[in-house]
Amino acid sequence: MEILETGLTTNNQDKDAKMGKSMKRVLLWLNILMLSLGNCGGPLLQRLYFVKGGKRIWLACWLETAGFPFVIIPVLLSYAYRRSKGVPGTKLITIKPRLFLPFAALGVLTGADDFLASYGVSFLPVSTYSLIIATQLAFTAGFAFILVKQKFTAFTVNSVFLLTVGAVVLAFHSGSDRPANETNRQYYIGFFTTLGASFLYGFVLPMIELTYKKAKQPINYSLIMETQMVISFFATAFCTVGMIVNHDFPAIPREAREFELGQATYYVVLVFCALFWQFFFLGATGVIFCASSLLSGIIIAALLPATEVLAVLFFHEKFQVEKGLALALSCWGFISYFYGELQVIKQEEKKSAEPELPQPH
């Protein structure tokens, strides 16, 4: 794909010197796997929490980034590996203030995004939530064009348009999948807060890419994990303030006792929810490092059908005509995008195969 070759262009030489193409490809697929697990598992576990008796929205958004201590393990392993290889200047923490401060600010924005997303999924079926989140691709594409000068083709524009239309279809047919115990007002609040979360994270992804491009230090995967920890720490701190104000911490034991699946299951759901969301964020950041923010947005949107099917299987959610139409438009958008990228690759291969004409003297 074009985006695999034009990601963080200012740092490509440094990265290529430190890892071969095969290792870079392995890292890319590893991060795609983590992103896939988090993108499908996170919303499902979060919805399970609300469906079975959970009511603390600030707790739900806190869980989206509170799993950052899990990242300490691979950071330590990376440090031990670099030290065993005798890499000069090996340090446990390599992030510098020039990167720390911007990522701290992005962490606060991520915390706000977490709140909007959690508020949305508390009112919406997972299938509807996922379809709305697919519009994040449109926002990511727009901000990528503005911030990192991402190149676009007619197929990319068509893809963004189709995904946006799919979300609009859902907006005009809200009553058909609204849960019986929720009002139209609650449904629309869930719809627009989810759309707001999509917009905000669509801005955060290109900002992460831009920050890497502006960094005045070598970018490697160990640093990527450190920056993700910074983002998650400040996002968690933001949500912790909300939990304290909302008195969520004292309410957790009581909510666990009243949880429909049992007290032990309650805590298991919380732990795995935090773990899966950390997979999502680390995977999204890793894909940006290996490729670009646009590819990260494409993968998030491309996982929509899997999340749809899982939501129908596990929660027996309805799948009406308008959802089918929105899903078809989304799939059409994905196919359009990837077909366009294939055409770009073919054109580049054709150009590289053409012999260069001798320059006249």
Side-chain angles (χ1 to χ4, degrees):
M1 289 184 177
E2 176 189 330
I3 48 180
L4 294 180
E5 302 189 10
T6 61
L8 303 175
T9 54
T10 59
N11 293 309
N12 275 351
Q13 293 181 348
D14 290 333
K15 291 188 294 185
D16 291 341
K18 294 179 181 178
M19 69 171 74
K21 289 184 178 180
S22 58
M23 178 58 71
K24 195 174 180 181
R25 191 174 295 113
V26 169
L27 268 179
L28 176 62
W29 285 107
L30 176 62
N31 282 281
I32 288 175
L33 176 62
M34 288 193 294
L35 180 55
S36 301
L37 289 172
N39 195 65
C40 294
L44 290 170
L45 286 169
Q46 203 170 39
R47 184 60 181 170
L48 179 65
Y49 164 78
F50 286 114
V51 168
K52 298 303 178 180
K55 296 180 177 65
R56 320 304 295 191
I57 293 176
W58 277 110
L59 171 60
C61 73
W62 184 82
L63 289 171
E64 292 191 23
T65 51
F68 70 89
F70 288 117
V71 185
I72 294 175
I73 298 173
V75 168
L76 291 175
L77 291 175
S78 174
Y79 170 71
Y81 175 79
R82 285 180 283 125
R83 190 171 181 179
S84 67
K85 293 295 182 180
V87 177
T90 298
K91 297 179 181 178
L92 178 59
I93 304 299
T94 60
I95 188 170
K96 296 180 180 179
R98 183 180 178 88
L99 277 181
F100 181 87
L101 295 176
F103 279 108
L106 289 172
V108 175
L109 287 178
T110 302
D113 173 76
D114 292 345
F115 176 76
L116 292 173
S118 298
Y119 206 88
V121 80
S122 68
F123 289 126
L124 298 176
V126 175
S127 53
T128 303
Y129 168 87
S130 300
L131 284 167
I132 299 171
I133 285 293
T135 62
Q136 178 182 304
L137 176 58
F139 299 123
T140 302
F143 285 119
F145 176 77
I146 296 170
L147 298 174
V148 296
K149 312 304 179 186
Q150 178 69 52
K151 295 180 180 179
F152 286 93
T153 65
F155 296 99
T156 306
V157 175
N158 184 55
S159 173
V160 170
F161 173 76
L162 291 169
L163 286 166
T164 306
V165 171
V168 172
V169 169
L170 285 177
F172 285 105
H173 295 81
S174 62
S176 57
D177 73 334
R178 178 171 55 84
N181 60 336
E182 290 177 8
T183 64
N184 280 329
R185 180 177 178 274
Q186 288 175 318
Y187 186 96
Y188 279 115
I189 289 175
F191 181 92
F192 286 109
T193 53
T194 304
L195 192 62
S198 183
F199 172 86
L200 190 54
Y201 203 62
F203 171 74
V204 167
L205 289 177
M207 278 301 299
I208 292 174
E209 182 175 356
L210 180 64
T211 305
Y212 288 148
K213 293 181 72 173
K214 297 293 184 181
K216 292 187 177 180
Q217 70 176 99
I219 304 294
N220 53 41
Y221 196 70
S222 296
L223 182 61
I224 296 303
M225 291 188 288
E226 292 176 33
T227 58
Q228 177 52 37
M229 289 184 66
V230 173
I231 290 174
S232 294
F233 175 82
F234 280 93
T236 304
F238 176 89
C239 297
T240 300
V241 174
M243 288 185 68
I244 293 172
V245 172
N246 203 44
H247 306 291
D248 279 5
F249 286 107
I252 291 176
R254 182 179 68 254
E255 193 172 71
R257 290 191 298 270
E258 298 172 355
F259 197 62
E260 292 181 21
L261 299 179
Q263 187 170 346
T265 305
Y266 175 85
Y267 291 110
V268 170
V269 169
L270 297 191
V271 170
F272 275 91
C273 188
L275 177 61
F276 273 85
W277 275 119
Q278 200 56 216
F279 281 153
F280 170 84
F281 286 110
L282 183 58
T285 308
V287 170
I288 294 173
F289 165 70
C290 296
S292 73
S293 57
L294 184 58
L295 178 59
S296 188
I298 287 290
I299 293 170
I300 292 170
L303 291 167
L304 169 65
T307 308
E308 286 281 328
V309 171
L310 290 172
V312 172
L313 288 176
F314 289 117
F315 297 116
H316 308 290
E317 294 181 356
K318 297 177 181 179
F319 199 85
Q320 298 94 339
V321 174
E322 61 272 9
K323 282 189 182 179
L325 178 58
L327 181 59
L329 289 169
S330 298
C331 291
W332 185 5
F334 304 147
I335 293 171
S336 174
Y337 176 83
F338 287 113
Y339 179 78
E341 291 300 322
L342 288 174
Q343 296 304 308
V344 171
I345 292 172
K346 288 180 180 179
Q347 290 176 6
E348 290 181 350
E349 290 177 348
K350 185 177 179 180
K351 288 181 180 179
S352 61
E354 292 177 354
E356 294 185 5
L357 296 175
Q359 297 292 331
H361 295 285

